[in-house]
């Protein structure tokens, strides 16, 4: 059975070679040679780390936005998309204390989060995982997992740069960027 | 430390005497003499059950609605509020597949979920717990825990009746109603 729970395991084994671990805001994560992306629950290897998250319903996307996304997005794991990134993020208590309409206003009306993501489609594929309501002590609120062709790396860099310049990102209190490449079989 | 995770344990011990377990939609839960409401993680006693949920950020409430709620609501555990109810609910996959704006439209514009709840304030106090993103196999999506004075039982019954008649409730595929009374010390 395919679970909505995913584990991202930093260690000595896994399908992705880690190129770089960059602390963007706050405390970083251990640098490990490999990253494993596994469906279901996993635990941390010695000296490594594990991050858990669940795929879930959309929190902000409206019907027209959903339609635009679905029309352009492609699935993860395309043969040519051998570069990837895992970006764990934690937002502040001030963010979570906002009512839904104010979070939506910051997220899209002021920060164009969905619109910026759309501009990177279909080059960049992504899957969002939620950690905040797992009921366990997870260090982040979200894990986003991306993949893309090496020719689209610049486009991906631009997307990250644009998002980090938004009002929404003023609420990000911890962010780490883990760049990977699919390991040869 | 106070966790956002709560456990509702049906068994032979606990602070509440169970008066009635009513299956509203779908499969019911075991009838137990007592219900324990505990902060953090707990497991099921033999013959009983445990339901887990986390308090979390608001999913639909807007700033003006939040203000109206905060102005009228009272905390759980008031001395006189010796009757209570635990109502676990599971919604359909069709509900969770809807984009945010369509869920909000059904929830409030068409079903007046917040407005109906407001009418029962301050008599009925409540706390909502989310189960769907716990990452474990929880049988419900939400657990709502209520308490009220015996004189307000009719008002609470009316609230449940009004909510169950809404378009939102067409998406409820499992619901159980557990009525309790605070046990004497």
């Amino acid at each position: 059975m395919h679970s909505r729970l995913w584990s991202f395991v930093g260690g000595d084994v896994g399908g992705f070679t880690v190129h770089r671990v960059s602390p963007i805001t706050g405390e970083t994560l251990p640098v490990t040679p490999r990253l494993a992306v596994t469906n279901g629950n996993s635990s941390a290897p010695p000296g490594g780390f594990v991050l858990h998250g669940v795929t879930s319903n959309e929190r902000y996307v409206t019907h027209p936005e959903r339609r635009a996304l679905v029309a352009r997005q492609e699935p993860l794991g395309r043969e040519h998309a051998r570069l990837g990134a895992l970006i764990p993020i934690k937002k502040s208590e001030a963010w979570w204390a906002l009512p839904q309409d104010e979070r939506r206003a910051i997220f899209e009306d002021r920060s164009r989060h969905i619109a910026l993501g759309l501009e990177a489609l279909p080059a960049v594929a992504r899957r969002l995982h939620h950690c905040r309501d797992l009921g366990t002590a997870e260090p982040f609120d979200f894990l986003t997992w991306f993949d893309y062709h090496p020719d689209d790396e610049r486009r991906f860099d631009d997307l990250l740069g644009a998002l980090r310049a938004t009002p929404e990102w003023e609420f990000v209190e911890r962010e780490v960027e883990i760049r990977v490449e699919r390991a040869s079989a």
Side-chain angles (χ1 to χ4, degrees), chain A:
Chain A
M1 189 193 125
H2 204 69
S3 168
R4 289 198 288 115
L5 178 68
W6 291 82
S7 299
F8 294 85
V9 185
D12 293 331
V13 296
F16 299 88
T17 303
V18 175
H19 281 182
R20 191 164 84 243
V21 176
S22 312
I24 307 298
T25 305
E27 193 189 346
T28 190
L29 285 166
V31 179
T32 62
R34 294 284 185 120
L35 180 74
V37 180
T38 60
N39 189 242
N41 199 14
S42 284
S43 49
F49 65 87
V50 63
L51 300 173
H52 301 108
V54 290
T55 59
S56 188
N57 59 293
E58 283 152 1
R59 303 296 208 258
Y60 301 108
V61 169
T62 64
H63 187 102
E65 290 161 353
R66 155 95 63 87
R67 196 155 35 195
L69 289 164
V70 167
R72 297 196 58 177
Q73 71 197 1
E74 293 188 354
L76 288 164
R78 294 161 296 179
E79 179 61 30
H80 68 262
R82 66 171 207 270
L83 294 188
L86 174 66
I87 306 196
I89 278 178
K90 183 179 173 66
K91 284 181 171 170
S92 66
E93 282 308 306
W95 171 263
W96 295 112
L98 291 172
Q100 178 70 22
D101 57 338
E102 295 188 5
R103 274 181 282 107
R104 159 78 199 186
I106 295 166
F107 182 88
E108 192 58 24
D109 307 346
R110 295 182 53 208
S111 301
R112 301 182 63 250
H113 189 133
I114 297 162
L116 289 169
L118 258 176
E119 290 169 16
L121 297 183
V124 178
R126 70 189 271 287
R127 187 173 64 222
L128 175 65
H129 311 76
H130 298 257
C131 328
R132 187 165 185 267
D133 288 347
L134 277 173
T136 47
E138 294 294 324
F140 295 96
D141 293 331
F142 305 102
L143 313 174
T144 316
W145 172 238
F146 303 90
D147 70 15
Y148 47 87
H149 185 277
D151 288 350
D152 293 314
E153 188 165 32
R154 175 67 179 277
R155 185 190 296 264
F156 180 65
D157 295 342
D158 290 348
L159 171 63
L160 297 186
L163 284 169
R164 287 173 185 152
T166 61
E168 184 192 350
W169 246 253
E170 293 167 23
F171 293 90
V172 172
E173 61 176 36
R174 188 176 177 195
E175 178 174 9
V176 180
E177 182 184 313
I178 303 170
R179 298 285 191 126
V180 303
E181 178 168 3
R182 193 190 297 144
S184 312

